Structure formats: C-alpha cells, structure tokens
Amino acid sequence: MWQVYLKELTELVRDKKTMFFVILLPILVFPVLFGIMGAVMANVVKKAESEEHRYVIVNAAQAPELADALFYHKNFKQVESDLTDVDGLKQAIRDNKFDLAIIIPADFDASAGQLNQSTWTVVYNMSSQLDMIDKYFNDVLKDYSKKLQLAKMDKLGVAKEQVDALLQPVKLDKVNTAESRENLGEKIGGFIAYILIPLCLIGCSYPAIDIGAGEKERGTLETLLICPISRTAIVLGKFLTVLTTGLATALITVSSFGGWGFLIGSIMGVDIVEKTMSTLGVADLVLILLMLIPLSAIFASLLLSLSIYARSFKEAQNYVGPLSMVIFMPLVVALLPGVELNWGMAMLPVTNVALAIKELIKGTMDTGMLVAILGSTVVLAGAMLAFCVSWFQKEKVLFR
C-alpha cells in the first residue's frame, strides 16, 4: 500500500498540472482572484457613493428648507423640468433626463399648526442593488422631518428637551452577552467553512481523476494490476494519495490567505486578520483540521470511485461537475440565516461539519456534539472507503 502511495504521490509531484492545482492555484491564483474581486467591488461602491444624482422637485416653494438641503448636498444636482405628473416623470427618468423626482403636495404648509400627515411622492429607479439615492434622500428627509417635529412640538407647548421623551417614551440600553469572539465567529465562521470544504473537494478532484480514469486512458492500470500486490492495497494507496492532496490544498490555501491578508492588512493598517487569528487557539485549529480529515476522506472515496468507473479523463470530469453541485447545496444550507447546529443538523453530512467549524470559531462548540459529528463523519468515510475498495474489485468496472 505504501509503495503504491509513494509511487502515485511521486508521479503527481512530477506532473505540472498537479503542481498548478495543488500549489500554485492556492498560493497565487486564488488570492489574486479574490483581490481583484475585492478591488472591483470597492471601486463600484466608491463610485456609487460619489455619483451625482440629478433631481427634479415639484412645488419646491412649499418646503424651502428641504429644497436648500438637496441643492447643497454633494450627491444631488438640481435640473429644471416642467413635468408635474407621475407618469411624465417616470418616462423622463427612463429617458435618462434625470434620476430622481420629488413631488410635494401643493397644499403642504410646513408652518401650519394642524397635526396632519402629508404624503409625498418620490419617483426613481429602484432596481439598483446599491440604492444610494434612497439612502441619501432619506438622510436629508430625516433631518427635515426632525425640524418639523420640533417646530410643531413647540407650537403645542412641548419643550425641546421633552420631544425625545414624547416621541420615544421608552429607550433601550442593550447589553450584549456575546463575547467579541462569538460575534466575529457568527459573521465569518460560515464563510470560512464555505471556503475550506470546497478547497478539500478541489484538491481531491484532479488527482483522483488522473490516477483512476487517467491510468485507464494511458493503459498503465493493467500493468499495476499484474504486480504482486492486492487490489485492496492498490486502492488504499491511491486513496491516501487523493486524501493527501485534498488536505494539502486546503492547508496551503488557508496559509496563503492568512499570509496575504496579514501582509495587506499590515500595509493598509487593517487589523481584521489579527483580530480573527487572535480569537483562535491552537486547539481550535487542530479540531478544525480533524473535522476536515474524514470529510476529505469521503470526497476522496467518492471521486476515486467515479474515476475508476469512468472510461476516460473527460468522462470522469463530467461526473465530478454534478458531484460538486451536490456538495455545495449542504454548504448553502449552513449559511442560511437562522440555521444553527443541533442534534438534527449534526447528522446531516457536510452541513454538520460546516456548522461545527462555525461553532469552533465562535468558541461555543458543545463537546458531545463535536464527538458525535466527528464520529458520524468517520463512519460515513469508512463506509465510502469500503465501497470504493469493493468497487475496485469488480472487473466490469475496471475494464468497462
């Protein structure tokens, strides 16, 4: 078994494609891609925040303070228009003549003493995910509404210092019982699992295809089978090779992200990496690795079984695609709001490991549940490995 393991590992190390997928891709390509994505997103947000929005205000004379606040706002630029109806203003916005229209009722009077609620109409394109128009206009309107409240309260004989007590009789002073580590783990724990688990799958994919379907295609599998070694030892050696590359990819990628993140954080003065790493102890990192080992063993067994069954390298790749989708679905479940680790979730493969990693980062992992998850994953990994060994014994699978 160990001879097969060393043979397969040596051949993979000599293969440039393997070196690219296992080493170069995690160290350079992934950080560069994520860096580019982050830079693009930051640039889009920055551009959206600095964009100037053209607006039209109907009956501006009825609310001069609001009109002045919009006029002097750095993100708004007033344009002239004779349109006053909603349909005409909608069409003008579609024609890109301006971006925002505010219709103030002609009978609105800010100085009136009556306590009537006035309904204004705001027209703009709400399809943008970065709805900065709504944010900026609401900020201006909130300040203007506050001034109207104070003025009306004053006419009613309510002192300025009593306005808050009248509008909000009860004020909450919230005390958070969660520690900073728990808050940080809740925010990023699920995403760390979402990165680590697919990396184990990616690290297992190419080697499994190459030492299974690849050997079939090259015609070297028959040579290996006639050697004085049992088929069980052969498949176990191949399995350990795939498992090694899967774990190596995850470890190299995590180290790469940590190194690049620390470097960039030090240069830019961002301490999020330091805060994240300071919350995790050595025991937590070891436990996360222990959770990944049996899960990677499941991936290695599945991929190796598919690879042995496939007639060619291309056919094996076609099988890996749907398998990846099946693996990602439980991860998505673990990221959904409100999904917490309980005994029911602890028995759900892949999802249980993702939630366990999240709880370990939060520092709230229950020891009994951790043992149960680890045990169930090990049992499932053993069952998948037994299936892979049995699958490798079948002549109709090896020589189809």
Side-chain angles (χ1 to χ4, degrees):
M1 180 183 73
W2 295 110
Q3 290 179 338
V4 175
Y5 171 68
L6 292 174
K7 164 194 167 295
E8 299 290 359
L9 200 60
T10 303
E11 289 181 356
L12 286 175
V13 170
R14 290 173 180 171
D15 188 358
K16 293 181 180 179
K17 290 182 180 179
T18 304
M19 300 302 290
F20 174 79
F21 278 99
V22 177
I23 298 178
L24 187 61
L25 196 66
I27 291 179
L28 294 177
V29 178
F30 282 158
V32 169
L33 288 177
F34 279 99
I36 292 174
M37 288 173 60
V40 170
M41 291 176 63
N43 186 55
V44 170
V45 172
K46 184 178 180 181
K47 183 179 178 181
E49 290 177 344
S50 62
E51 188 176 355
E52 193 175 57
H53 307 290
R54 299 161 298 166
Y55 74 94
V56 169
I57 183 166
V58 180
N59 298 322
Q62 305 303 118
E65 290 188 19
L66 178 74
D68 289 342
L70 286 171
F71 182 80
Y72 290 109
H73 196 286
K74 65 177 182 178
N75 293 103
F76 288 112
K77 179 182 179 181
Q78 187 175 9
V79 297
E80 298 298 328
S81 175
D82 296 330
L83 298 171
T84 57
D85 62 295
V86 174
D87 291 335
L89 292 168
K90 285 173 62 177
Q91 187 58 47
I93 291 175
R94 290 194 187 102
D95 296 337
N96 200 31
K97 294 180 179 179
F98 46 84
D99 306 303
L100 171 70
I102 305 108
I103 304 175
I104 301 174
D107 59 350
F108 176 74
D109 185 1
S111 61
Q114 294 86 359
L115 297 178
N116 297 326
Q117 188 178 51
S118 180
T119 302
W120 296 8
T121 303
V122 180
V123 185
Y124 71 101
N125 189 335
M126 303 180 190
S127 63
S128 174
Q129 292 184 347
L130 289 173
D131 195 352
M132 305 307 295
I133 293 178
D134 181 70
K135 177 182 181 301
Y136 293 143
F137 180 70
N138 280 336
D139 289 343
V140 173
L141 185 62
K142 184 178 179 181
D143 293 338
Y144 178 69
S145 297
K146 184 68 174 179
K147 292 178 181 179
L148 290 182
Q149 288 175 351
L150 292 174
K152 290 184 181 294
M153 292 296 180
D154 184 60
K155 288 185 178 182
L156 293 173
V158 180
K160 184 177 180 180
E161 56 272 11
Q162 295 176 321
V163 172
D164 290 337
L166 182 63
L167 296 178
Q168 190 180 4
V170 177
K171 182 180 178 181
L172 295 179
D173 183 14
K174 298 180 180 180
V175 178
N176 190 359
T177 60
E179 298 179 357
S180 58
R181 171 176 177 174
E182 191 173 346
N183 286 327
L184 187 64
E186 183 66 31
K187 293 175 182 177
I188 68 170
F191 291 101
I192 290 178
Y194 193 77
I195 292 173
L196 284 176
I197 294 175
L199 283 174
C200 293
L201 179 65
I202 293 172
C204 292
S205 297
Y206 179 79
I209 295 173
D210 184 65
I211 64 180
E215 277 209 281
K216 272 188 177 184
E217 208 167 40
R218 292 189 297 268
T220 57
L221 182 61
E222 291 82 352
T223 305
L224 185 62
L225 291 173
I226 63 175
C227 292
I229 184 173
S230 67
R231 291 189 179 182
T232 300
I234 292 174
V235 72
L236 288 177
K238 290 179 177 291
F239 164 79
L240 288 175
T241 305
V242 177
L243 179 62
T244 300
T245 56
L247 293 174
T249 302
L251 289 174
I252 292 172
T253 305
V254 172
S255 302
S256 175
F257 270 110
W260 281 103
F262 182 79
L263 179 63
I264 295 172
S266 301
I267 294 174
M268 300 180 64
V270 180
D271 60 348
I272 183 64
V273 176
E274 182 180 354
K275 288 182 179 179
T276 303
M277 296 307 297
S278 63
T279 61
L280 295 175
V282 176
D284 298 313
L285 295 174
V286 171
L287 286 174
I288 291 174
L289 179 60
L290 285 176
M291 300 297 294
L292 292 176
I293 291 174
L295 188 62
S296 297
I298 294 173
F299 295 157
S301 301
L302 278 171
L303 290 165
L304 192 57
S305 298
L306 290 173
S307 180
I308 292 298
Y309 177 77
R311 292 187 181 92
S312 63
F313 196 96
K314 185 177 181 180
E315 184 181 342
Q317 287 180 318
N318 292 335
Y319 293 148
V320 170
L323 177 63
S324 301
M325 294 300 297
V326 172
I327 298 301
F328 269 98
M329 292 306 296
L331 288 176
V332 173
V333 173
L335 284 175
L336 292 176
V339 177
E340 299 290 340
L341 183 61
N342 51 44
W343 285 107
M345 287 293 180
M347 297 298 109
L348 190 62
V350 182
T351 302
N352 56 1
V353 175
L355 291 173
I357 291 175
K358 181 179 177 180
E359 293 296 321
L360 285 169
I361 295 173
K362 289 170 62 178
T364 56
M365 187 69 213
D366 180 74
T367 305
M369 199 170 292
L370 177 65
V371 172
I373 293 172
L374 189 59
S376 63
T377 310
V378 169
V379 169
L380 183 58
M384 295 307 304
L385 179 58
F387 170 78
C388 184
V389 172
S390 174
W391 197 239
F392 200 82
Q393 308 291 332
K394 300 180 183 294
E395 298 288 339
K396 62 181 181 179
V397 173
L398 292 175
F399 302 106
R400 63 184 289 271

